[in-house]
Amino acid sequence: MTRAGGQATASAPPLRLAVEAHVDRLAEVRAFVRDAVHAFGGSKRAAEDLVQAVDEVTCNVMLHGYDGKPGEIEVQAALRDGSIEIRILDRAPAFDPTVLADPGGRAPRRPGNAGVGLHLARTMTDAVRHHVRPGGGNELTLVRSIDDNPAEEDRPMAMTIDVEDLGGSPAVSVLALDGELDASNYERVIEAVREAYARGARGLVVDLSKLGFMASSGLFALHSAFRIMRGETPPDPEAGWGALHEVAGDQEGEAATVRLAAPQEAIARVLERTGIGRLFPIDADRSSAVAALQGA
């Protein structure tokens, strides 16, 4: 069945993508999910939620399921009874992330781990199911309602970082992120902050106005920026969600050296759902953020 615009509403042939288990393929996975939701007539919000959830789960399989060994991940998308089902299949050792409690303690894993990743996947989907595949491996299914409004086309892009040193008192640097921030590039953000601090910046604005996607590794990058701008060593990536949990011990006022500017709606939801947004002042635009840092 189709709606007047020609998009599927009740059922449609499943779509499939197979990729090498490497974080460099995450953008391709996200593009596949966006295209699938659009083909099935899903809403923009459904596309954003499923892209986030699938990225987190797939990244976890790549980094921890295969643990650096060669492997393949198959992603299947199907429309059933008004919901979009995304199946992620691998041949990694059996691991059921649905039995994990929501993150609350330390988990010795890198950004993209099952703790924070599954937390986001749970909040952005209607159901998460796991099965062990015959012959070994995992099948994880994410289910999300299609919603009513057709999706808007939104193509992925590589992330770029534009750095502007403004000087002033205190000296402020602006990092403008454009594209998608994930496990393949989050370390570039941390390095850019280190370099800005080394050049004398004591205030930082992270302009998110052109950032269309941020994975859990992006949250780690923001927390690292917070620590670097206080003159501290950023947390160890191996601490995973536990590193982000250290935010709870930080006072909101101590983050006055780092401000976030103009996050898009999808990014704002990630900040809110993980709680890290409470640490950073958020401004409507970069000029407001700079003025707040310099007391103007």
Side-chain angles (χ1 to χ4, degrees):
M1 296 175 61
T2 60
R3 63 175 67 185
Q7 292 172 322
T9 57
S11 62
L15 306 174
R16 291 180 173 84
L17 171 72
V19 298
E20 177 188 2
H22 193 282
V23 293
D24 288 345
R25 306 298 295 274
L26 285 171
E28 187 177 347
V29 173
R30 293 194 296 269
F32 169 80
V33 175
R34 284 193 189 94
D35 288 344
V37 176
H38 181 74
F40 296 151
S43 69
K44 183 174 184 292
R45 177 68 176 268
E48 291 172 346
D49 286 353
L50 280 171
V51 165
Q52 184 83 46
V54 173
D55 179 271
E56 299 295 347
V57 171
T58 306
C59 180
N60 186 63
V61 174
M62 291 175 173
L63 293 178
H64 312 303
Y66 284 110
D67 196 23
K69 301 179 179 65
E72 184 179 84
I73 296 174
E74 182 177 348
V75 184
Q76 302 177 358
L79 177 63
R80 292 186 176 87
D81 299 324
S83 292
I84 298 172
E85 294 185 0
I86 306 290
R87 285 184 169 82
I88 302 164
L89 301 97
D90 63 63
R91 289 297 182 185
F95 173 70
D96 183 358
T98 66
V99 302
L100 298 178
D102 279 346
R106 300 186 65 85
R109 299 187 176 204
R110 294 179 60 83
N113 65 77
V116 65
L118 184 61
H119 173 71
L120 287 172
R122 282 169 169 163
T123 61
M124 294 181 171
T125 58
D126 300 322
V128 180
R129 301 190 294 265
H130 175 268
H131 299 286
V132 177
R133 299 178 67 188
N138 304 274
E139 176 183 317
L140 193 72
T141 302
L142 306 175
V143 182
R144 172 64 160 79
S145 61
I146 195 171
D147 288 347
D148 298 324
N149 300 317
E152 298 176 9
E153 187 172 357
D154 182 20
R155 295 293 179 182
M157 63 189 76
M159 188 189 69
T160 60
I161 305 175
D162 181 48
V163 182
E164 184 179 6
D165 294 329
L166 300 180
S169 181
V172 171
S173 289
V174 177
L175 267 64
L177 309 183
D178 187 340
E180 300 183 332
L181 174 56
D182 67 6
S184 70
N185 55 33
Y186 78 99
E187 292 175 308
R188 291 172 49 207
V189 176
I190 298 173
E191 186 58 29
V193 176
R194 284 197 181 100
E195 292 173 356
Y197 187 83
R199 290 193 303 270
R202 293 301 178 265
L204 180 72
V205 174
V206 184
D207 185 345
L208 303 174
S209 61
K210 294 184 178 180
L211 190 72
F213 173 83
M214 181 167 62
S216 57
S217 42
L219 303 176
F220 180 86
L222 291 179
H223 188 214
S224 296
F226 162 71
R227 291 293 178 87
I228 291 168
M229 295 306 294
R230 292 203 307 186
E232 301 174 359
T233 301
D236 184 350
E238 293 295 336
W241 179 266
L244 292 178
H245 230 260
E246 294 176 15
V247 174
D250 294 322
Q251 298 298 317
E252 291 186 24
E254 293 179 334
T257 54
V258 181
R259 301 182 75 93
L260 309 182
Q264 296 186 33
E265 183 181 352
I267 305 299
R269 285 199 299 271
V270 172
L271 296 172
E272 178 184 359
R273 286 169 171 171
T274 57
I276 198 171
R278 293 192 296 269
L279 180 64
F280 299 97
I282 299 177
D283 299 283
D285 52 57
R286 73 161 73 186
S287 59
S288 299
V290 172
L293 285 170
Q294 296 184 332

